Amino acid sequence: MARTYRDIKADILGRITRGDWKPGSLLPGEIELAETYGVARATVNRAMRELTEDGIIERKRKSGTRVRLSPLRQARFDIPIVRHEVTEQGAAYRYALVSSTVGPAPDWLRARMGLQTGDEVRHLTCLHMADGQPYQYEDRWISLALLPQARVEDFAATAPTEWLIAQIPYSEVDISLSATAADEGLAAHLACRPGEPLLQIERSTRWDGKAVTFVQLVHRPGHRMTTRY
Amino acid sequence: MARTYRDIKADILGRITRGDWKPGSLLPGEIELAETYGVARATVNRAMRELTEDGIIERKRKSGTRVRLSPLRQARFDIPIVRHEVTEQGAAYRYALVSSTVGPAPDWLRARMGLQTGDEVRHLTCLHMADGQPYQYEDRWISLALLPQARVEDFAATAPTEWLIAQIPYSEVDISLSATAADEGLAAHLACRPGEPLLQIERSTRWDGKAVTFVQLVHRPGHRMTTRY
């Protein structure tokens, strides 16, 4: 039976994990591998491409393909829409708009988003709940220069993330993860003690080089982001 | 001049960002796109595959290819070897072994790593420094059932991560990110106040289904993990 690219991939991976091909060592070329395995070069190519994407090997135009010295280089985390995240955990999701204002962007935000003096923003704070308990607190700023329709939108029913996705289907995003201590306000919203360590995601979104939105998402105590590879 | 898959990818992305093809809408088939662009079907296929990997579109065997409703689904974070991370910031890296013991795995660790009663582990704690300041505190457990050579290895000069990579080039990894409060010990190691919020990475590594190592990496206050896409 003809061997598929999956068979070739598994075989190459096996040789690497068994140490036949050690970290840093050069792999045979695609033509040679195709001959060895008795398959088309395209089949070997697909296996090699997936191994490259998986971070197992690295391919360089001139010096050939090597086993990566440090294969565990990247981790992908799902950053789902919080409604999906909560529902997938089997909990009932509820969204509440806490506050909403329109006004000129404060200095720190102008610097952060790259806005001009006088540029206005819609500022929203929201609470996302799982089974009636606070799950995530959202502090969101939307540029009215780029999205003037955000000035009049009623965010009481629709969470800003879901509204934004419908406005701007694809954007450039900067994400930053950090640990923060609950201040009095956060502690009240997330029903925890002031000073408790909380996992925070900050996200800046641009579209066509212009700032769209900046958000701080702070999770309830004990929240973990997990991934497997 | 013949258009490359990159041209096709950029054009499709352009249509999506301009809203010609809206979130949720069905894209033309590969054959139709190949005719439209006047390129080989393989060229369209490669562009579509990258757009799928980028999370922009989703392809389903029966119902065709659609623009994703929620394109910003995954974030990739580099989790580099700390020595590389520090050096790339232009700081001088230094590693220090703080403690080292061998003994049976404690109950919580057996549960966490899936070890048997009586299984022994090497337990190491280490400090990674940047320009002489604490940068990351590492609390590492290595299974001696799987890696008996870890019993006698001298970790005074080589950090456990770098040693492990040379032993086991590829493994299955679980990663968990959370915020933790510095206890007295951590505060002393990381030169911060007890109670300060710290970003923690926990990583469990298996090889061929068996536990290799479990590590907690705690970063100095203010540390951020960032990514852009």
Side-chain angles (χ1 to χ4, degrees):
Chain A
M1 209 172 73
R3 292 209 269 182
T4 68
Y5 83 93
R6 284 181 204 276
D7 299 328
I8 310 302
K9 183 182 173 188
D11 190 86
I12 295 175
L13 199 51
R15 287 173 191 237
I16 294 172
T17 53
R18 283 194 308 273
D20 301 346
W21 290 333
K22 296 200 185 304
S25 71
L26 201 62
L27 262 59
E30 280 186 14
I31 296 169
E32 190 182 333
L33 285 171
E35 280 170 10
T36 308
Y37 287 120
V39 298
R41 186 172 169 185
T43 307
V44 170
N45 180 272
R46 175 141 189 210
M48 301 289 264
R49 209 169 52 225
E50 289 207 359
L51 287 165
T52 307
E53 283 162 10
D54 294 346
I56 310 301
I57 61 176
E58 54 185 345
R59 309 164 87 185
K60 288 184 182 165
R61 196 177 293 267
K62 292 197 176 157
S63 58
T65 301
R66 288 178 188 278
V67 181
R68 286 192 72 92
L69 281 171
S70 153
L72 314 176
R73 213 177 48 86
Q74 277 198 328
R76 281 184 215 207
F77 288 89
D78 283 325
I79 301 196
I81 295 175
V82 59
R83 180 162 62 82
H84 300 175
E85 187 178 339
V86 167
T87 328
E88 275 166 22
Q89 291 169 17
Y93 172 74
R94 196 156 69 82
Y95 159 79
L97 182 62
V98 175
S99 74
S100 166
T101 58
V102 168
D107 290 348
W108 68 267
L109 185 70
R110 281 216 315 278
R112 189 96 189 215
M113 291 182 74
L115 297 173
Q116 308 292 315
T117 310
D119 276 357
E120 287 191 311
V121 286
R122 179 92 183 250
H123 182 207
L124 305 160
T125 63
C126 329
L127 198 57
H128 303 274
M129 280 164 286
D131 284 340
Q133 300 299 311
Y135 184 84
Q136 184 190 84
Y137 180 78
E138 174 173 354
D139 193 324
R140 163 82 66 181
W141 307 79
I142 302 171
S143 165
L144 296 179
L146 199 83
L147 288 172
Q149 64 269 44
R151 183 184 295 272
V152 293
E153 180 66 28
D154 175 15
F155 288 99
T158 306
T161 306
E162 294 171 52
W163 182 82
L164 282 160
I165 284 170
Q167 308 299 314
I168 305 228
Y170 179 68
S171 351
E172 306 120 53
V173 181
D174 280 316
I175 294 181
S176 166
L177 292 177
S178 57
T180 192
D183 61 17
E184 297 282 344
L186 268 178
H189 287 302
L190 291 172
C192 67
R193 286 174 291 101
E196 273 207 71
L198 305 171
L199 187 62
Q200 172 174 272
I201 303 176
E202 287 183 333
R203 195 158 52 189
S204 294
T205 306
R206 288 178 310 285
W207 183 81
D208 202 16
K210 295 179 203 76
V212 177
T213 181
F214 172 73
V215 67
Q216 292 174 309
L217 303 169
V218 185
H219 298 82
R220 63 180 176 189
H223 183 79
R224 285 170 177 270
M225 284 175 66
T226 59
T227 189
R228 170 172 293 196
Y229 61 84
Chain B
M1 209 173 73
R3 291 210 270 182
T4 68
Y5 84 93
R6 283 180 205 277
D7 299 328
I8 309 303
K9 184 182 172 186
D11 191 86
I12 295 175
L13 199 51
R15 288 175 190 234
I16 293 171
T17 53
R18 284 194 308 272
D20 301 346
W21 291 334
K22 297 202 184 304
S25 71
L26 202 60
L27 262 60
E30 279 186 14
I31 296 169
E32 190 181 335
L33 286 172
E35 281 169 11
T36 308
Y37 288 119
V39 297
R41 187 172 169 187
T43 307
V44 170
N45 180 272
R46 175 141 190 209
M48 301 290 263
R49 209 168 51 225
E50 288 207 358
L51 287 164
T52 307
E53 283 162 9
D54 294 347
I56 310 300
I57 61 176
E58 55 186 343
R59 308 163 87 185
K60 289 186 180 164
R61 196 177 292 266
K62 293 200 175 153
S63 58
T65 301
R66 289 177 187 279
V67 181
R68 286 192 71 94
L69 282 171
S70 154
L72 313 176
R73 213 177 49 85
Q74 279 198 327
R76 282 182 215 207
F77 288 89
D78 282 325
I79 302 198
I81 296 175
V82 59
R83 180 162 61 84
H84 301 175
E85 187 177 340
V86 167
T87 330
E88 275 166 22
Q89 291 169 16
Y93 172 73
R94 196 157 68 82
Y95 158 79
L97 182 62
V98 176
S99 73
S100 166
T101 57
V102 168
D107 290 347
W108 70 267
L109 185 70
R110 281 216 316 276
R112 190 95 188 214
M113 291 182 74
L115 297 173
Q116 308 292 315
T117 309
D119 275 357
E120 287 192 312
V121 286
R122 180 92 183 249
H123 181 206
L124 305 159
T125 64
C126 330
L127 198 57
H128 303 274
M129 281 163 286
D131 283 341
Q133 300 298 312
Y135 184 84
Q136 184 191 83
Y137 180 78
E138 173 174 355
D139 194 324
R140 163 82 66 180
W141 307 78
I142 302 171
S143 165
L144 296 179
L146 199 83
L147 287 173
Q149 64 269 44
R151 183 185 295 272
V152 293
E153 180 67 26
D154 175 15
F155 288 99
T158 307
T161 305
E162 295 171 52
W163 183 81
L164 282 159
I165 285 168
Q167 308 299 314
I168 305 228
Y170 180 67
S171 349
E172 308 121 52
V173 180
D174 280 316
I175 295 182
S176 165
L177 292 177
S178 57
T180 192
D183 61 17
E184 297 283 342
L186 268 178
H189 287 302
L190 290 171
C192 67
R193 285 175 291 100
E196 273 208 72
L198 305 171
L199 187 62
Q200 172 174 272
I201 302 175
E202 287 183 333
R203 194 157 53 188
S204 294
T205 305
R206 287 177 310 286
W207 183 80
D208 202 17
K210 295 179 204 75
V212 177
T213 182
F214 172 73
V215 67
Q216 292 174 310
L217 303 170
V218 185
H219 298 81
R220 63 180 176 191
H223 184 79
R224 287 169 176 269
M225 284 174 65
T226 59
T227 189
R228 168 172 292 195
Y229 61 82

mmCIF file of all heavy atoms in Angstrom, chain B residues 156-188:
data_model
loop_
_atom_site.group_PDB
_atom_site.id
_atom_site.type_symbol
_atom_site.label_atom_id
_atom_site.label_comp_id
_atom_site.label_asym_id
_atom_site.label_seq_id
_atom_site.Cartn_x
_atom_site.Cartn_y
_atom_site.Cartn_z
ATOM 1 N N ALA B 156 25.011 22.304 38.003
ATOM 2 C CA ALA B 156 25.582 23.580 38.456
ATOM 3 C C ALA B 156 25.931 24.483 37.275
ATOM 4 O O ALA B 156 25.837 25.698 37.369
ATOM 5 C CB ALA B 156 26.822 23.336 39.316
ATOM 6 N N ALA B 157 26.309 23.871 36.148
ATOM 7 C CA ALA B 157 26.736 24.684 35.004
ATOM 8 C C ALA B 157 25.666 24.731 33.904
ATOM 9 O O ALA B 157 25.508 25.739 33.233
ATOM 10 C CB ALA B 157 28.042 24.132 34.433
ATOM 11 N N THR B 158 24.931 23.644 33.732
ATOM 12 C CA THR B 158 23.951 23.565 32.644
ATOM 13 C C THR B 158 22.541 23.652 33.205
ATOM 14 O O THR B 158 22.169 22.865 34.080
ATOM 15 C CB THR B 158 24.099 22.230 31.886
ATOM 16 O OG1 THR B 158 25.459 22.077 31.487
ATOM 17 C CG2 THR B 158 23.186 22.187 30.665
ATOM 18 N N ALA B 159 21.749 24.601 32.690
ATOM 19 C CA ALA B 159 20.359 24.729 33.134
ATOM 20 C C ALA B 159 19.573 23.496 32.709
ATOM 21 O O ALA B 159 19.832 22.920 31.643
ATOM 22 C CB ALA B 159 19.742 25.990 32.555
ATOM 23 N N PRO B 160 18.619 23.056 33.544
ATOM 24 C CA PRO B 160 17.885 21.821 33.252
ATOM 25 C C PRO B 160 17.225 21.817 31.871
ATOM 26 O O PRO B 160 17.248 20.796 31.189
ATOM 27 C CB PRO B 160 16.823 21.759 34.359
ATOM 28 C CG PRO B 160 17.343 22.611 35.462
ATOM 29 C CD PRO B 160 18.227 23.637 34.840
ATOM 30 N N THR B 161 16.645 22.948 31.448
ATOM 31 C CA THR B 161 15.962 22.984 30.153
ATOM 32 C C THR B 161 16.920 22.599 29.030
ATOM 33 O O THR B 161 16.589 21.802 28.158
ATOM 34 C CB THR B 161 15.416 24.398 29.875
ATOM 35 O OG1 THR B 161 14.593 24.784 30.966
ATOM 36 C CG2 THR B 161 14.603 24.428 28.596
ATOM 37 N N GLU B 162 18.100 23.186 29.067
ATOM 38 C CA GLU B 162 19.067 22.918 27.997
ATOM 39 C C GLU B 162 19.555 21.475 28.044
ATOM 40 O O GLU B 162 19.724 20.840 26.998
ATOM 41 C CB GLU B 162 20.219 23.924 28.083
ATOM 42 C CG GLU B 162 19.695 25.329 27.795
ATOM 43 C CD GLU B 162 20.710 26.432 28.060
ATOM 44 O OE1 GLU B 162 21.839 26.346 27.548
ATOM 45 O OE2 GLU B 162 20.368 27.390 28.781
ATOM 46 N N TRP B 163 19.733 20.948 29.241
ATOM 47 C CA TRP B 163 20.121 19.545 29.381
ATOM 48 C C TRP B 163 19.004 18.645 28.839
ATOM 49 O O TRP B 163 19.259 17.712 28.076
ATOM 50 C CB TRP B 163 20.397 19.234 30.859
ATOM 51 C CG TRP B 163 20.862 17.828 31.095
ATOM 52 C CD1 TRP B 163 22.129 17.339 30.943
ATOM 53 C CD2 TRP B 163 20.047 16.723 31.512
ATOM 54 N NE1 TRP B 163 22.153 16.000 31.240
ATOM 55 C CE2 TRP B 163 20.898 15.591 31.599
ATOM 56 C CE3 TRP B 163 18.698 16.570 31.830
ATOM 57 C CZ2 TRP B 163 20.437 14.340 31.982
ATOM 58 C CZ3 TRP B 163 18.230 15.326 32.208
ATOM 59 C CH2 TRP B 163 19.086 14.226 32.286
ATOM 60 N N LEU B 164 17.767 18.946 29.192
ATOM 61 C CA LEU B 164 16.630 18.110 28.782
ATOM 62 C C LEU B 164 16.466 18.085 27.263
ATOM 63 O O LEU B 164 16.143 17.044 26.695
ATOM 64 C CB LEU B 164 15.340 18.611 29.439
ATOM 65 C CG LEU B 164 15.164 18.213 30.909
ATOM 66 C CD1 LEU B 164 14.169 19.133 31.601
ATOM 67 C CD2 LEU B 164 14.714 16.757 31.017
ATOM 68 N N ILE B 165 16.655 19.239 26.625
ATOM 69 C CA ILE B 165 16.494 19.295 25.171
ATOM 70 C C ILE B 165 17.468 18.343 24.475
ATOM 71 O O ILE B 165 17.120 17.715 23.473
ATOM 72 C CB ILE B 165 16.662 20.750 24.672
ATOM 73 C CG1 ILE B 165 15.402 21.531 25.014
ATOM 74 C CG2 ILE B 165 16.959 20.799 23.178
ATOM 75 C CD1 ILE B 165 15.552 23.023 24.826
ATOM 76 N N ALA B 166 18.666 18.213 25.048
ATOM 77 C CA ALA B 166 19.643 17.315 24.449
ATOM 78 C C ALA B 166 19.288 15.840 24.683
ATOM 79 O O ALA B 166 19.699 14.967 23.930
ATOM 80 C CB ALA B 166 21.032 17.618 24.998
ATOM 81 N N GLN B 167 18.500 15.572 25.769
ATOM 82 C CA GLN B 167 18.122 14.186 26.075
ATOM 83 C C GLN B 167 16.925 13.737 25.255
ATOM 84 O O GLN B 167 16.856 12.613 24.792
ATOM 85 C CB GLN B 167 17.757 14.040 27.567
ATOM 86 C CG GLN B 167 18.802 14.562 28.522
ATOM 87 C CD GLN B 167 20.119 13.831 28.390
ATOM 88 O OE1 GLN B 167 20.149 12.613 28.321
ATOM 89 N NE2 GLN B 167 21.217 14.576 28.313
ATOM 90 N N ILE B 168 15.931 14.620 25.160
ATOM 91 C CA ILE B 168 14.645 14.270 24.556
ATOM 92 C C ILE B 168 14.298 15.356 23.553
ATOM 93 O O ILE B 168 13.788 16.410 23.922
ATOM 94 C CB ILE B 168 13.549 14.185 25.645
ATOM 95 C CG1 ILE B 168 13.965 13.215 26.734
ATOM 96 C CG2 ILE B 168 12.210 13.876 25.022
ATOM 97 C CD1 ILE B 168 12.957 12.205 27.142
ATOM 98 N N PRO B 169 14.579 15.094 22.287
ATOM 99 C CA PRO B 169 14.428 16.183 21.326
ATOM 100 C C PRO B 169 12.984 16.580 21.060
ATOM 101 O O PRO B 169 12.723 17.699 20.688
ATOM 102 C CB PRO B 169 15.086 15.621 20.057
ATOM 103 C CG PRO B 169 15.044 14.139 20.216
ATOM 104 C CD PRO B 169 15.110 13.866 21.679
ATOM 105 N N TYR B 170 12.044 15.672 21.232
ATOM 106 C CA TYR B 170 10.660 16.052 20.953
ATOM 107 C C TYR B 170 9.740 15.418 21.977
ATOM 108 O O TYR B 170 9.888 14.269 22.330
ATOM 109 C CB TYR B 170 10.249 15.605 19.553
ATOM 110 C CG TYR B 170 8.832 15.985 19.244
ATOM 111 C CD1 TYR B 170 8.485 17.319 19.117
ATOM 112 C CD2 TYR B 170 7.849 15.014 19.130
ATOM 113 C CE1 TYR B 170 7.182 17.680 18.860
ATOM 114 C CE2 TYR B 170 6.540 15.367 18.864
ATOM 115 C CZ TYR B 170 6.217 16.704 18.732
ATOM 116 O OH TYR B 170 4.922 17.063 18.482
ATOM 117 N N SER B 171 8.790 16.168 22.449
ATOM 118 C CA SER B 171 7.917 15.663 23.493
ATOM 119 C C SER B 171 6.534 16.294 23.380
ATOM 120 O O SER B 171 6.333 17.249 22.645
ATOM 121 C CB SER B 171 8.476 15.994 24.878
ATOM 122 O OG SER B 171 9.789 16.471 24.823
ATOM 123 N N GLU B 172 5.592 15.710 24.124
ATOM 124 C CA GLU B 172 4.260 16.297 24.244
ATOM 125 C C GLU B 172 4.276 17.230 25.447
ATOM 126 O O GLU B 172 4.790 16.866 26.504
ATOM 127 C CB GLU B 172 3.216 15.203 24.467
ATOM 128 C CG GLU B 172 3.257 14.077 23.443
ATOM 129 C CD GLU B 172 3.510 12.718 24.076
ATOM 130 O OE1 GLU B 172 2.794 12.355 25.025
ATOM 131 O OE2 GLU B 172 4.441 12.033 23.622
ATOM 132 N N VAL B 173 3.705 18.398 25.288
ATOM 133 C CA VAL B 173 3.820 19.413 26.321
ATOM 134 C C VAL B 173 2.444 19.995 26.661
ATOM 135 O O VAL B 173 1.653 20.277 25.768
ATOM 136 C CB VAL B 173 4.751 20.559 25.859
ATOM 137 C CG1 VAL B 173 4.877 21.622 26.930
ATOM 138 C CG2 VAL B 173 6.119 20.027 25.474
ATOM 139 N N ASP B 174 2.174 20.126 27.956
ATOM 140 C CA ASP B 174 1.020 20.879 28.441
ATOM 141 C C ASP B 174 1.532 22.154 29.077
ATOM 142 O O ASP B 174 2.422 22.091 29.932
ATOM 143 C CB ASP B 174 0.255 20.093 29.519
ATOM 144 C CG ASP B 174 -0.647 19.048 28.911
ATOM 145 O OD1 ASP B 174 -1.324 19.347 27.926
ATOM 146 O OD2 ASP B 174 -0.662 17.920 29.430
ATOM 147 N N ILE B 175 0.945 23.272 28.686
ATOM 148 C CA ILE B 175 1.375 24.546 29.261
ATOM 149 C C ILE B 175 0.186 25.223 29.913
ATOM 150 O O ILE B 175 -0.934 25.170 29.392
ATOM 151 C CB ILE B 175 1.970 25.463 28.181
ATOM 152 C CG1 ILE B 175 3.257 24.852 27.630
ATOM 153 C CG2 ILE B 175 2.245 26.852 28.727
ATOM 154 C CD1 ILE B 175 3.930 25.699 26.594
ATOM 155 N N SER B 176 0.419 25.831 31.047
ATOM 156 C CA SER B 176 -0.639 26.553 31.740
ATOM 157 C C SER B 176 -0.067 27.883 32.226
ATOM 158 O O SER B 176 1.001 27.922 32.829
ATOM 159 C CB SER B 176 -1.113 25.683 32.907
ATOM 160 O OG SER B 176 -1.874 26.425 33.805
ATOM 161 N N LEU B 177 -0.776 28.961 31.925
ATOM 162 C CA LEU B 177 -0.360 30.297 32.362
ATOM 163 C C LEU B 177 -1.293 30.781 33.445
ATOM 164 O O LEU B 177 -2.507 30.634 33.321
ATOM 165 C CB LEU B 177 -0.467 31.281 31.195
ATOM 166 C CG LEU B 177 0.486 31.109 30.041
ATOM 167 C CD1 LEU B 177 0.161 32.139 28.971
ATOM 168 C CD2 LEU B 177 1.917 31.288 30.519
ATOM 169 N N SER B 178 -0.743 31.364 34.481
ATOM 170 C CA SER B 178 -1.596 31.885 35.549
ATOM 171 C C SER B 178 -0.877 33.011 36.269
ATOM 172 O O SER B 178 0.298 33.282 36.021
ATOM 173 C CB SER B 178 -1.958 30.756 36.524
ATOM 174 O OG SER B 178 -0.786 30.167 37.032
ATOM 175 N N ALA B 179 -1.623 33.667 37.149
ATOM 176 C CA ALA B 179 -1.043 34.694 38.011
ATOM 177 C C ALA B 179 -0.931 34.103 39.401
ATOM 178 O O ALA B 179 -1.851 33.431 39.874
ATOM 179 C CB ALA B 179 -1.929 35.934 38.019
ATOM 180 N N THR B 180 0.192 34.331 40.045
ATOM 181 C CA THR B 180 0.375 33.804 41.396
ATOM 182 C C THR B 180 0.923 34.921 42.283
ATOM 183 O O THR B 180 1.505 35.887 41.786
ATOM 184 C CB THR B 180 1.315 32.571 41.377
ATOM 185 O OG1 THR B 180 1.252 31.913 42.643
ATOM 186 C CG2 THR B 180 2.759 32.946 41.083
ATOM 187 N N ALA B 181 0.695 34.801 43.589
ATOM 188 C CA ALA B 181 1.231 35.795 44.517
ATOM 189 C C ALA B 181 2.556 35.280 45.072
ATOM 190 O O ALA B 181 2.683 34.096 45.380
ATOM 191 C CB ALA B 181 0.248 36.034 45.649
ATOM 192 N N ALA B 182 3.559 36.163 45.152
ATOM 193 C CA ALA B 182 4.857 35.762 45.699
ATOM 194 C C ALA B 182 4.698 35.355 47.158
ATOM 195 O O ALA B 182 4.161 36.124 47.953
ATOM 196 C CB ALA B 182 5.852 36.923 45.580
ATOM 197 N N ASP B 183 5.152 34.128 47.511
ATOM 198 C CA ASP B 183 5.249 33.786 48.929
ATOM 199 C C ASP B 183 6.610 34.283 49.437
ATOM 200 O O ASP B 183 7.367 34.896 48.682
ATOM 201 C CB ASP B 183 5.025 32.285 49.148
ATOM 202 C CG ASP B 183 6.059 31.425 48.422
ATOM 203 O OD1 ASP B 183 7.115 31.964 48.029
ATOM 204 O OD2 ASP B 183 5.808 30.220 48.248
ATOM 205 N N GLU B 184 6.910 34.014 50.718
ATOM 206 C CA GLU B 184 8.158 34.544 51.294
ATOM 207 C C GLU B 184 9.387 34.070 50.502
ATOM 208 O O GLU B 184 10.287 34.850 50.200
ATOM 209 C CB GLU B 184 8.304 34.103 52.758
ATOM 210 C CG GLU B 184 7.230 34.627 53.699
ATOM 211 C CD GLU B 184 7.450 36.094 54.087
ATOM 212 O OE1 GLU B 184 8.586 36.596 53.908
ATOM 213 O OE2 GLU B 184 6.482 36.734 54.545
ATOM 214 N N GLY B 185 9.382 32.781 50.134
ATOM 215 C CA GLY B 185 10.534 32.218 49.424
ATOM 216 C C GLY B 185 10.724 32.849 48.054
ATOM 217 O O GLY B 185 11.821 33.278 47.701
ATOM 218 N N LEU B 186 9.624 32.911 47.299
ATOM 219 C CA LEU B 186 9.695 33.510 45.962
ATOM 220 C C LEU B 186 10.109 34.974 46.046
ATOM 221 O O LEU B 186 10.897 35.456 45.229
ATOM 222 C CB LEU B 186 8.333 33.423 45.271
ATOM 223 C CG LEU B 186 8.071 32.200 44.389
ATOM 224 C CD1 LEU B 186 6.656 32.252 43.831
ATOM 225 C CD2 LEU B 186 9.083 32.152 43.239
ATOM 226 N N ALA B 187 9.553 35.676 47.029
ATOM 227 C CA ALA B 187 9.882 37.098 47.192
ATOM 228 C C ALA B 187 11.387 37.269 47.428
ATOM 229 O O ALA B 187 12.018 38.166 46.865
ATOM 230 C CB ALA B 187 9.074 37.704 48.332
ATOM 231 N N ALA B 188 11.958 36.375 48.235
ATOM 232 C CA ALA B 188 13.394 36.455 48.508
ATOM 233 C C ALA B 188 14.189 36.187 47.227
ATOM 234 O O ALA B 188 15.131 36.918 46.912
ATOM 235 C CB ALA B 188 13.784 35.459 49.602
#
